[in-house]
Amino acid sequence: MTNPRHQIDHETERLAALRRSTLLHEADDPIFDQVSELATRLLDSPIGCVTVVDAQYQWFKASTRGSGFRIEREQSFCTHTIASDDVLVVPDMHCDARFTDNPFVTGEPFVRFYAGAPLVFDGKNLGSLCVLDTKPRSDFGETEKAVLKELADFLGNWLEALNNPAYRDPSTGICTRQRMLTVLKHELTQPPAPNTMQVRLIGIVDITVPKQMHELTQVMGHDQTERFIVECIDRLSDKIGAGRELYRLGLYRFGFFMTEQVGIGIQRKLDALVHSLHEPFDSRVGLLLQPSAKLGVTILREHDNDSAEEILRQASVAADDAWEHSRRWTFYKQQSDASRQRKLQLLTELPAALTSNDQLYLLFQPQVDLATHTCGSVEALLRWQHPTLGFVSPIELIDAAERTALIQPLTNWVLDAAIAQCATWRKAGLNLRVAVNLSAYDLADDNIVGRVSQRLRTHDLPGENLELEFTESTLIRDLDATLPKLRQLHMLGVSTAIDDFGTGYCNLSYLQKLSASKIKIDRRFVQNLERDPRSQTLTRAIVNLAHDLGYELVAEGIENENTLALMSNWGCEQAQGYLFSRPLTPEHLTTWIKNGGASQALARHVADRPDV
């Protein structure tokens, strides 16, 4: 058999173009499958192939008889096709001296007819689109050649598109999110393999969180960050298997496809994948870095009506769930997704609620002075009556708002409403102090003192009538920045309280420095007092410690007389809870105070105090 290699001009440049195309290193493209199948139908041939020819082999990137295999270049028909820009047609292999002894002519699949058009990329013939038959054909004329050439040109243009920035990440060379969506759209049109128990998986991996990468870059520089990313890409590529593409979806987020047998094997494969990313990374500067990675997975189901964008979003939701629940990997759960969709709806519609007159409102829960049996303070509690969702839990609302820029306007609304109501009470002769909870994001705001001061002036309310509550973790997040703000608030007359005390850091040195006015013992301690001697010991110690440091104490969650008696006997100054009152509207609170609600609740337990 004659060797046609000498007929090919610029073979070195052709092979360089082949390497640039990355065709030899990436997964088989679904578009190649579609075009090869289309060619067989349009040209009435039983076999269609998309091939690539390198220095030694011909690789089958798509074929109606399978793909991902290779043959020796010397045995390849397409080697002759890439020698010119014309369509090569061989009506009968038995009548062409170049092919009469070819093992694929004399043996399986006993090829008799061949027609191939060059597959062109960057001006070079990298392979071919070809159709074959097991019987000779004399009817393959100019029209058929034109169809084959047009389909090959389409594939060439597709190759060019795959290597433009929209499909190729410039820093790593792997495929982009747009490319993954294109492949996913094709996968949605393909039924699963018949008579198998395989499932098709779409995975999204976060190799780390941005904060960790930022710290790595600060300490070790951008080169080490890039090396870390490349190392993670190599590990991922190794685990998802040869011939499968990896897609970069974000700075530290990657996607992949995987097909596995139903059963325990899927779990083992995913465990191994994440485990490989958790292996220490050698920085080559004497440090071992410990990556943290999470994986989200969703299943591509037969007759899936969801779009490619929606399926990719579901995999992202699963990855986010893995972070939120501290798991290495999770499958997509519709229930979790519904919760996220609800949160998104709340955040989308919260701005309108802030300007509405009938959605957001405050309730006020009394704080009772145990010595005077009076109510001198109330805590403002935010509520949202959504027009379609109904009552929205304040925990759900604050949790959603704290993750966005909406927390500041929401806090401003609460401050305005609470201070305005307190001023209204004061003008009516009811002198109360109102307590408002602020978040870590509020305390981190350099203008928080100005925001509070402005609203006090607007509503003509003395600072002594306002108390701001912060959790322990909020206060000590940045103590050096926190202390000056607390001092400025105190200069306005505003008192401060440490909320939910006992559930955070409980660091005595912090407690000494914070100089807050009041400590609120968390309800989780208080509600177990009757049944748990350890809670009694710990709570009494907190009370004694707070008194020694000059703090007043408020016990939250007082729901029965025995618990109230314990806290009262230990010297707790104030109490708050359902035993006295549930949160009330401003009007009902006024009535409750006028009717002596605090005295009535306290009178029920005075005659029968336990001996503690």
Side-chain angles (χ1 to χ4, degrees):
M1 185 171 62
T2 60
N3 187 339
R5 252 189 228 186
H6 66 278
Q7 301 174 19
I8 303 176
D9 295 330
H10 310 300
E11 175 70 2
T12 301
E13 290 82 355
R14 192 191 73 82
L15 293 175
L18 178 58
R19 287 191 296 272
R20 286 195 300 275
S21 74
T22 67
L23 272 170
L24 295 179
H25 308 293
E26 290 188 354
D28 298 339
D29 194 299
I31 297 298
F32 292 172
D33 289 321
Q34 289 178 316
V35 173
S36 63
E37 291 173 2
L38 180 61
T40 60
R41 291 198 300 269
L42 292 176
L43 299 174
D44 194 26
S45 296
I47 304 172
C49 305
V50 177
T51 71
V52 175
V53 180
D54 69 6
Q56 292 182 292
Y57 301 104
Q58 171 178 297
W59 297 84
F60 288 79
K61 303 301 293 182
S63 170
T64 52
R65 295 201 171 192
S67 61
F69 59 93
R70 69 186 186 184
I71 62 173
E72 294 286 340
R73 178 169 173 170
E74 300 298 335
Q75 300 171 347
S76 164
F77 306 140
C78 297
T79 294
H80 300 267
T81 302
I82 65 174
S84 76
D85 296 330
D86 295 328
V87 175
L88 173 64
V89 179
V90 183
D92 189 349
M93 292 289 189
H94 289 179
C95 300
D96 192 317
R98 294 174 296 178
F99 305 110
T100 53
D101 296 330
N102 188 289
F104 300 108
V105 174
T106 60
E108 286 286 345
F110 299 103
V111 176
R112 293 289 300 273
F113 167 80
Y114 171 90
L119 182 59
V120 181
F121 170 78
D122 202 13
K124 303 296 186 295
N125 296 344
L126 305 189
S128 76
L129 169 65
C130 58
V131 291
L132 305 93
D133 206 331
T134 56
K135 60 187 179 197
R137 290 182 57 174
S138 59
D139 60 345
F140 203 89
E142 293 302 320
T143 300
E144 287 75 17
K145 290 172 63 175
V147 170
L148 189 62
K149 180 69 164 59
E150 187 173 349
L151 291 174
D153 289 344
F154 169 81
L155 285 181
N157 293 333
W158 177 245
L159 277 179
E160 297 286 351
L162 288 181
N163 286 270
N164 72 24
Y167 286 101
R168 189 70 56 188
D169 177 54
S171 62
T172 61
I174 66 175
C175 297
T176 62
R177 180 180 184 276
Q178 189 58 43
R179 165 68 172 160
M180 188 174 188
L181 285 172
T182 300
V183 175
L184 184 50
K185 288 175 184 176
H186 171 76
E187 286 292 325
L188 286 171
T189 68
Q190 304 301 305
N195 302 321
T196 68
M197 293 295 290
Q198 291 186 328
V199 291
R200 295 176 292 174
L201 306 177
I202 295 93
I204 285 184
V205 178
D206 289 319
I207 60 174
T208 187
V209 293
K211 183 177 184 294
Q212 291 175 328
M213 291 304 293
H214 176 68
E215 292 172 351
L216 173 63
T217 302
Q218 283 186 317
V219 173
M220 308 187 72
H222 287 282
D223 288 345
Q224 287 295 336
T225 301
E226 289 301 314
R227 284 194 61 249
F228 173 80
I229 292 173
V230 170
E231 173 71 17
C232 289
I233 289 173
D234 289 343
R235 295 181 185 185
L236 280 171
S237 298
D238 178 64
K239 292 301 177 183
I240 65 176
R244 291 189 177 275
E245 290 177 336
L246 189 64
Y247 306 89
R248 190 168 192 177
L249 309 181
L251 284 175
Y252 316 117
R253 174 166 280 193
F254 298 86
F256 62 88
F257 296 93
M258 183 182 292
T259 302
E260 292 295 325
Q261 291 288 335
V262 174
I264 194 80
I266 293 177
Q267 180 177 334
R268 290 173 178 167
K269 189 74 175 280
L270 298 178
D271 282 340
L273 190 151
V274 180
H275 178 75
S276 71
L277 292 174
H278 283 224
E279 288 293 320
F281 166 68
D282 184 2
S283 66
R284 300 182 186 175
V285 292
L287 292 175
L288 287 178
L289 306 177
Q290 185 72 48
S292 59
K294 303 293 182 184
L295 167 64
V297 183
T298 191
I299 298 175
L300 187 62
R301 305 181 189 279
E302 188 177 5
H303 308 306
D304 204 322
N305 294 321
D306 291 326
S307 67
E309 284 276 7
E310 171 61 18
I311 292 172
L312 200 58
R313 187 194 66 80
Q314 292 173 5
S316 296
V317 167
D320 292 340
D321 274 352
W323 284 110
E324 189 169 325
H325 300 291
S326 300
R327 296 173 182 168
R328 288 194 166 194
W329 60 268
T330 61
F331 273 110
Y332 167 75
K333 298 181 183 64
Q334 192 170 12
Q335 181 180 2
S336 176
D337 194 8
S339 173
R340 293 178 184 275
Q341 292 294 322
R342 175 182 168 92
K343 183 177 294 185
L344 177 61
Q345 181 182 356
L346 293 178
L347 292 176
T348 302
E349 298 176 3
L350 180 56
L354 289 168
T355 59
S356 172
N357 295 323
D358 59 357
Q359 293 192 43
L360 297 178
Y361 61 96
L362 294 181
L363 296 179
F364 298 88
Q365 188 169 34
Q367 295 176 345
V368 176
D369 189 297
L370 298 182
T372 64
H373 295 193
T374 60
C375 173
S377 302
V378 295
E379 181 179 2
L381 300 169
L382 178 62
R383 299 292 185 263
W384 185 4
Q385 187 67 31
H386 191 280
T388 58
L389 298 177
F391 176 74
V392 177
S393 159
I395 295 176
E396 181 183 24
L397 169 57
I398 298 301
D399 179 63
E402 282 185 336
R403 299 169 186 260
T404 71
L406 289 172
I407 188 61
Q408 187 172 115
L410 183 61
T411 298
N412 289 342
W413 188 95
V414 174
L415 282 170
D416 268 321
I419 292 173
Q421 180 58 58
C422 194
T424 299
W425 281 326
R426 189 167 182 268
K427 290 174 184 177
L430 185 59
N431 193 27
L432 294 173
R433 175 184 291 166
V434 64
V436 175
N437 289 276
L438 296 191
S439 73
Y441 300 92
D442 296 312
L443 192 57
D445 178 18
D446 291 335
N447 193 40
I448 182 59
V449 177
R451 289 162 59 193
V452 172
S453 177
Q454 176 191 344
R455 284 160 177 80
L456 289 172
R457 291 194 305 270
T458 298
H459 299 288
D460 192 25
L461 184 73
E464 290 77 8
N465 287 88
L466 177 65
E467 183 171 273
L468 299 178
E469 298 183 0
F470 306 92
T471 62
E472 289 177 77
S473 56
T474 294
L475 287 168
I476 68 173
R477 179 173 293 186
D478 186 353
L479 198 60
D480 291 338
T482 296
L483 291 176
K485 295 172 185 175
L486 294 182
R487 284 193 290 267
Q488 292 173 44
L489 289 170
H490 293 161
M491 290 175 65
L492 295 175
V494 176
S495 60
T496 54
I498 303 175
D499 194 19
D500 296 340
F501 186 79
T503 62
Y505 290 83
C506 292
N507 189 306
L508 300 186
S509 63
Y510 288 135
L511 191 61
Q512 186 178 21
K513 293 177 181 178
L514 285 174
S515 66
S517 314
K518 188 184 295 183
I519 285 177
K520 299 186 73 175
I521 302 176
D522 186 75
R523 67 183 65 248
R524 281 168 282 188
F525 287 103
V526 174
Q527 290 176 337
N528 290 327
L529 286 181
E530 282 189 287
R531 301 177 300 276
D532 188 354
R534 292 174 63 87
S535 289
Q536 292 183 18
T537 301
L538 182 58
T539 304
R540 187 188 297 189
I542 292 174
V543 171
N544 292 335
L545 174 64
H547 284 157
D548 289 344
L549 291 173
Y551 289 97
E552 291 184 13
L553 277 163
V554 180
E556 295 184 294
I558 300 293
E559 296 184 357
N560 60 69
E561 296 172 8
N562 290 336
T563 303
L564 175 61
L566 287 169
M567 297 306 301
S568 179
N569 287 345
W570 292 338
C572 187
E573 286 83 7
Q574 293 184 339
Q576 177 181 347
Y578 287 175
L579 176 65
F580 304 104
S581 173
R582 291 179 177 271
L584 301 170
T585 65
E587 297 76 18
H588 288 144
L589 177 70
T590 301
T591 302
W592 182 86
I593 292 175
K594 288 182 178 179
N595 291 338
S599 297
Q600 292 179 19
L602 288 168
R604 288 193 293 267
H605 86 285
V606 169
D608 188 25
R609 290 192 177 192
D611 185 16
V612 180

